[in-house]
Amino acid sequence: MNKSTLSTVSRPTAFEVQILRQDHPSRPSYWHTFRLDYEPGLNVTTVLQRIAMNPTTAEGERTTPLAYDVGCLEEVCGSCTMLIDGCVRQACSALVDSLLDDRHDAIELRPMSKFSVVRDLFVDRHRLFRAL
Ligand code: FES
């Protein structure tokens, strides 16, 4: 059994996702908060897909679609790696239930800090693939 299966913590009906966004590499970053209905078994990639489909902040402001990277959805390629609640993790394997165990009703997402930001959570990882 995993941690979320063993959890006896009651779940909120909704939770917030705080995302550090950036419109362009030369522009300053800013925070947007989104509010999603809670469902058991969500992972962070699914959360990002839902926000991208309906980019409306918790305050009801319609905003630009969210940019992020995703590939294999199997915790192999690393393209979905980001800072999730301050830890480097892969969004496709980060379970909302487990994250809410730690922070209760909010999740914080930031782009990886060792790479330059292209936009929002999408970073330039080209240097990983350059020939030595
Ligand atoms: S999409 Fe490949 S590791 Fe998450």
Side-chain angles (χ1 to χ4, degrees):
M1 273 188 209
N2 63 30
K3 185 178 175 184
S4 63
T5 305
L6 294 172
S7 176
T8 57
V9 176
S10 65
R11 295 294 182 212
T13 56
F15 61 99
E16 290 189 344
V17 185
Q18 298 151 346
I19 301 179
L20 186 62
R21 303 191 68 183
Q22 191 169 335
D23 296 336
H24 185 273
S26 65
R27 302 292 304 270
S29 58
Y30 57 92
W31 288 96
H32 266 163
T33 300
F34 299 90
R35 191 163 184 82
L36 278 80
D37 292 336
Y38 170 78
E39 285 176 38
L42 290 173
N43 64 27
V44 171
T45 297
T46 304
V47 166
L48 295 172
Q49 290 169 336
R50 292 195 178 167
I51 292 170
M53 286 190 305
N54 180 23
T56 303
T57 67
E59 295 80 23
E61 174 192 348
R62 191 82 178 160
T63 185
T64 54
L66 185 64
Y68 60 96
D69 202 359
V70 67
C72 67
L73 296 173
E74 295 179 344
E75 204 177 8
V76 174
C77 71
S79 62
C80 66
T81 306
M82 60 186 66
L83 289 171
I84 301 175
D85 285 346
C87 299
V88 176
R89 298 196 53 186
Q90 293 165 325
C92 66
S93 62
L95 299 177
V96 169
D97 285 310
S98 178
L99 296 167
L100 293 178
D101 282 344
D102 298 333
R103 264 190 87 192
H104 308 299
D105 61 357
I107 297 169
E108 182 191 279
L109 306 177
R110 299 172 184 242
M112 282 193 289
S113 59
K114 304 295 185 210
F115 299 91
S116 56
V117 173
V118 176
R119 191 177 145 206
D120 296 333
L121 300 170
F122 190 95
V123 297
D124 181 357
R125 300 189 315 139
H126 279 99
R127 67 183 157 109
L128 285 178
F129 307 108
R130 282 192 201 131
L132 297 175

